[in-house]
Amino acid sequence: MRVKAIRIHQNGGPDQMHLEEVELGAPGEGEVTLRNKACGVNFIDTYHRTGLYPVSLPSGLGLEASAVVEAVGPGVTDLKAGDRVAYSSAPVGAYAEARNYPAARLIKIPDAIDDKTAAAMMLQGMTAEYLIRRTYPVQKGDIVLLHAAAGGVGQIATQWLHHLGAIIIGTAGSAEKLKIASDLGCQHVINYRDPDWVAQVKAASGGQGVHVVYDGVGKDTFMPSLDCLRPRGYMVTYGNASGPVAPIEPLILSQKGSLFLTRPTLMAYTSSRADLELSANAVIDVISRGAVKINVNHTYALKDAAQAHRDLEGRKTTGSLVLIP
Ligand code: NDP
């Protein structure tokens, strides 16, 4: 059958994204054919588009969606046509009406979770899960610096950290975004466009520095964030929204107080089926109990995926974005 999908033929800006018709064959061994209901838009999709994270061209885009199983391939026994599922990992190509996908990477979705929530909860939700529960396991009373707290990962992490009893210092780039971060549970909010934002973080932590920094902004915030940590604090640099972090000398970590530094990826924390289920089930659990709400604040038609990228990269969005095929 022929299906519409967003494709890129070369790396570059959003104008490289084209809505095309592609041929979709029968599902292969271990695969299912999925009819996507909503597709999550994530900052990582922009890295695939620009080439910061290389994909072989031509390529589809997008890592996550909610979907309904349309057909199952050979060897698939635990899924059937009509099942509601969600996914959030390679291969890229989620920005599409339908696609084939490995059954082993799918998670069944409870009826109470709607399609848009299911599409947006997987990649950003599991990222928040592994960052705050497994990279640095946040304890009640820990002081946490969370950058871009009004963004997709940021809003989920804020609510989850609040639920865990952390003291959250959230940053954002506008007054409107700071209000959102505050309403979701940040006890302190700081505009990191202010030149003295590091001093403000220090003051908010009672002068001691924070236990952990979660930094998805990258280039602009990495070095100043090291100065926000207390001795033996944890620097978790997990993204590049402002550009990739420049190389650093390990000696800097010693000079700034025996700091820990990690650069984690969701894939490394969900590569086994057991870890994928652990993470996805934790996300479904906090949503089902009302501790975390996935705020899908921006919905676009599939054909307008380029505009979604422009808005995300232009810092015009809050919370999560989805495309509707
Ligand atoms: P967001 O919704 O958080 O959007 C990015 C935000 O970063 C913007 O809204 C903006 O907020 C802030 N920002 C600061 N400087 C810039 C800049 N120069 N250009 C653009 N944005 C900037 O995106 P996601 O929730 O999808 O992803 C957040 C981060 O997490 C990304 O870096 C992403 O790559 C990373 N990530 C990493 C994963 C991993 O496992 N390592 C998995 C998932 C996401 P403001 O206006 O408030 O400054």
Side-chain angles (χ1 to χ4, degrees):
M1 69 176 153
R2 307 280 292 171
V3 300
K4 291 198 175 78
I6 297 289
R7 308 271 299 162
I8 54 168
H9 293 261
Q10 54 189 51
N11 294 124
D15 51 340
Q16 297 300 333
M17 299 162 67
H18 303 289
L19 186 67
E20 297 177 0
E21 278 210 349
V22 294
E23 184 62 27
L24 182 64
E29 177 81 28
E31 286 186 340
V32 299
T33 300
L34 297 176
R35 177 70 50 183
N36 286 334
K37 305 300 281 185
C39 316
V41 178
N42 293 282
F43 223 94
I44 191 173
D45 307 340
T46 71
Y47 308 148
H48 290 143
R49 193 202 70 225
T50 61
L52 178 64
Y53 294 178
V55 290
S56 54
L57 299 171
S59 175
L61 281 179
L63 285 173
E64 76 173 340
S66 59
V68 172
V69 175
E70 242 179 31
V72 300
V76 177
T77 53
D78 50 354
L79 289 166
K80 58 180 186 325
D83 283 348
R84 290 182 72 228
V85 292
Y87 61 92
S88 72
S89 49
V92 293
Y95 293 2
E97 292 175 326
R99 67 178 304 192
N100 294 331
Y101 190 82
R105 300 297 300 172
L106 290 169
I107 295 292
K108 286 190 189 170
I109 298 306
D111 291 343
I113 295 184
D114 64 74
D115 290 333
K116 281 195 198 180
T117 300
M121 74 180 185
M122 293 288 286
L123 201 150
Q124 295 171 351
M126 292 199 296
T127 299
E129 183 282 322
Y130 86 75
L131 288 175
I132 67 178
R133 295 192 341 147
R134 291 188 283 154
T135 302
Y136 172 89
V138 173
Q139 306 297 313
K140 189 172 190 305
D142 278 353
I143 307 176
V144 176
L145 174 59
L146 175 68
H147 287 309
V153 174
Q155 290 203 19
I156 299 170
T158 296
Q159 296 172 77
W160 208 325
L161 286 164
H162 181 69
H163 180 62
L164 292 175
I167 297 162
I168 315 160
I169 303 171
T171 61
S174 71
E176 180 212 350
K177 292 186 178 186
L178 292 176
K179 164 96 170 59
I180 292 170
S182 176
D183 289 347
L184 289 174
C186 292
Q187 286 87 342
H188 306 273
V189 289
I190 292 167
N191 189 330
Y192 50 16
R193 294 186 197 240
D194 291 349
D196 69 340
W197 69 263
V198 172
Q200 294 184 46
V201 173
K202 271 284 180 64
S205 70
Q208 299 174 41
V210 303
H211 291 88
V212 57
V213 178
Y214 293 113
D215 184 0
V217 172
K219 183 163 74 76
D220 290 352
T221 46
F222 177 82
M223 285 304 289
S225 291
L226 298 182
D227 292 325
C228 297
L229 284 160
R230 63 182 56 200
R232 290 183 283 147
Y234 283 72
M235 178 67 197
V236 183
T237 171
Y238 69 96
N240 332 278
S242 65
V245 173
I248 67 152
E249 296 285 342
L251 205 53
I252 288 174
L253 303 175
S254 126
Q255 291 158 352
K256 293 194 183 283
S258 282
L259 303 179
F260 293 85
L261 169 63
T262 181
R263 196 345 179 154
T265 66
L266 175 61
M267 196 56 205
Y269 281 84
T270 56
S271 57
S272 71
R273 180 73 200 174
D275 279 343
L276 174 65
E277 288 185 4
L278 176 146
S279 194
N281 289 340
V283 172
I284 289 169
D285 179 60
V286 287
I287 292 172
S288 303
R289 288 192 288 124
V292 170
K293 182 169 180 289
I294 307 294
N295 294 316
V296 182
N297 293 341
H298 309 270
T299 301
Y300 304 80
L302 178 64
K303 69 177 173 53
D304 296 326
Q307 188 58 45
H309 277 216
R310 287 186 194 100
D311 292 347
L312 185 59
E313 291 172 296
R315 304 171 77 165
K316 292 185 180 142
T317 65
T318 61
S320 304
L321 294 70
V322 298
L323 310 174
I324 304 296

